[in-house]
Amino acid sequence: MSDEHLTDRESDYVASSYERDTRYLTSRITRDGDEGWPVEPGRYRLVVARACPWANRAIIVRRLLGLEAALSMGICGPTHDANSWTFDLDPGGVDPVLRIPRIKDAYEARELGYPLGITVPAIVDVPSGKVVTNDFAQITLDLSTQWTDYHRDGAPDLYPAQLRDEMDEVMHRIYTEVNNGVYRCGFAGTQDAYEASYDRLFVALDWLEERLAGRRYLVGEHITEADVRLFTTLARFDAVYHGHFKCNRQKLSELPVLWAYARDLFQTPGFGDTTDFAHIKRHYYVVHKDVNPTGIVPRGPDLSGWTRPHSREELGGSPFGEGTPPGPPSEGERVSPAHNPAIDANGMVRA
């Protein structure tokens, strides 16, 4: 994958511990366009896969901010081969806007023989067909700070200026110890490396249990980018990481504070309604042949608990602060109820 995500290199092992490749296309799309890529509605296409936790962040942020009309979205299927993610969900297996069958083609348009990871999320310049950036961490921050002219009315401030120092510190620990920590466990090459990674992961989860025991959100009084970044790992924990990556000291559902926190976010528009459990399980269990040689996708776990009451509102705060929740997702971007039992026919989490 890439730093935030293991695409073509997802099954790479190292002799001791797993090291993520963090080399990305770091061009930025900015309000002033000082790097040659100005914010311009309709010009770019966000390419994602619902299976991928790093891409799921971008899906959530785009929806929370209401950028659907300004930034279109192409959705790859849950699996990929050595040639990258494919648009196999679209008629004819071709993205209807980019007119390509796989995201690799957009990387090759940017640089013939592109030598690095072919990853999602990626933002593609539609006129040229070139990937602008796949720097997933910066993509979501820029959606919050550079695309403000196109945010919906009532959009939350996901990266408040007055909280950024604290947020950056918290998000760094979440990334190194949790988001990437589950991968260090799953792709460890030795018993010692696995056990060290396992211990690091659960030290961090215990820290989060303590931090969130007396506060509804990670930083501040409403949802921020920090919550988005943690959520996509928590949403995959019981379905994939507990068994597939051997992160099995406890399930998420056995960590009372984190489980309630995750349910609170899941039931908030933008989170659970972008979560495709079928794609998540199929991706990890089918693509990671070194970890799961049979390719068998487990039927469990029971996912019905995601809609149970969480009582987190008693801690104060509110999801959107002075803002408002996004409306229902558009028909073409709804998660199928068959893929997420908590979703209704309108693509929203059931009350």
Side-chain angles (χ1 to χ4, degrees), residues 7-335:
T7 62
D8 298 342
R9 292 163 288 173
E10 262 173 330
S11 57
D12 287 352
Y13 284 83
V14 292
S16 56
S17 60
Y18 166 73
E19 299 292 337
R20 185 177 293 280
D21 186 347
T22 59
R23 296 171 296 169
Y24 300 106
L25 291 169
T26 57
S27 303
R28 292 179 60 198
I29 300 169
T30 58
R31 183 180 290 105
D32 59 15
D34 61 350
E35 295 188 21
W37 304 102
V39 170
E40 188 176 319
R43 175 173 174 176
Y44 305 99
R45 187 158 176 83
L46 173 66
V47 176
V48 299
R50 293 194 187 278
C52 170
W54 322 102
N56 198 174
R57 295 181 182 186
I59 298 171
I60 292 170
V61 168
R62 172 179 173 269
R63 175 151 157 64
L64 293 177
L65 298 178
L67 287 170
E68 291 92 337
L71 178 64
S72 69
M73 186 168 73
I75 304 174
C76 298
T79 62
H80 60 75
D81 57 22
N83 282 315
S84 84
W85 300 90
T86 59
F87 294 102
D88 51 294
L89 303 177
D90 292 306
V94 173
D95 180 85
V97 173
L98 300 175
R99 307 305 304 166
I100 56 176
R102 58 181 70 246
I103 188 58
K104 180 179 181 179
D105 296 331
Y107 281 88
E108 292 281 332
R110 171 72 182 260
E111 181 181 346
L112 190 63
Y114 181 75
L116 304 178
I118 309 295
T119 66
V120 291
I123 297 184
V124 180
D125 175 52
V126 174
S128 68
K130 298 177 180 180
V131 171
V132 177
T133 178
N134 64 338
D135 187 352
F136 68 93
Q138 192 62 50
I139 284 173
T140 49
L141 295 181
D142 284 345
L143 293 180
S144 286
T145 61
Q146 303 300 310
W147 290 72
T148 52
D149 290 344
Y150 305 100
H151 289 182
R152 65 180 177 85
D153 291 340
D157 184 353
L158 297 176
Y159 195 45
Q162 72 276 15
L163 297 178
R164 288 180 188 176
D165 287 346
E166 182 181 4
M167 283 183 64
D168 290 345
E169 181 179 347
V170 169
M171 291 190 299
H172 177 73
R173 186 170 184 184
I174 288 170
Y175 168 65
T176 60
E177 306 306 296
V178 181
N179 300 147
N180 200 40
V182 294
Y183 285 95
R184 272 199 308 271
C185 292
F187 292 107
T190 68
Q191 186 70 34
D192 286 347
Y194 162 70
E195 291 182 7
S197 299
Y198 175 100
D199 290 343
R200 281 181 64 178
L201 170 64
F202 282 97
V203 165
L205 292 177
D206 289 342
W207 164 67
L208 288 165
E209 276 277 295
E210 182 177 353
R211 181 180 181 90
L212 289 164
R215 58 195 308 162
R216 189 170 182 183
Y217 302 109
L218 280 167
V219 183
E221 297 297 314
H222 65 82
I223 289 165
T224 65
E225 170 93 12
D227 300 296
V228 174
R229 294 187 179 195
L230 178 56
F231 173 78
T232 58
T233 296
L234 297 182
R236 288 156 176 77
F237 202 90
D238 287 3
V240 173
Y241 302 143
H242 178 270
H244 184 60
F245 278 176
K246 308 178 185 69
C247 302
N248 61 356
R249 190 192 78 178
Q250 290 153 294
K251 295 178 180 177
L252 173 66
S253 57
E254 295 167 347
L255 293 165
V257 173
L258 272 173
W259 177 221
Y261 164 82
R263 296 200 313 276
D264 187 6
L265 292 178
F266 183 91
Q267 294 168 32
T268 301
F271 289 83
D273 55 37
T274 64
T275 302
D276 190 317
F277 289 116
H279 278 201
I280 289 166
K281 293 200 302 182
R282 182 162 179 77
H283 171 72
Y284 285 90
Y285 286 104
V286 171
V287 170
H288 297 165
K289 291 295 186 183
D290 288 343
V291 179
N292 186 42
T294 66
I296 294 171
V297 180
R299 294 188 66 180
D302 180 4
L303 301 170
S304 61
W306 281 99
T307 56
R308 292 176 189 159
H310 52 75
S311 302
R312 296 282 296 176
E313 61 276 356
E314 297 173 5
L315 295 173
S318 61
F320 299 100
E322 297 180 358
T324 57
S330 64
E331 184 174 356
E333 295 187 1
R334 294 173 188 168
V335 174

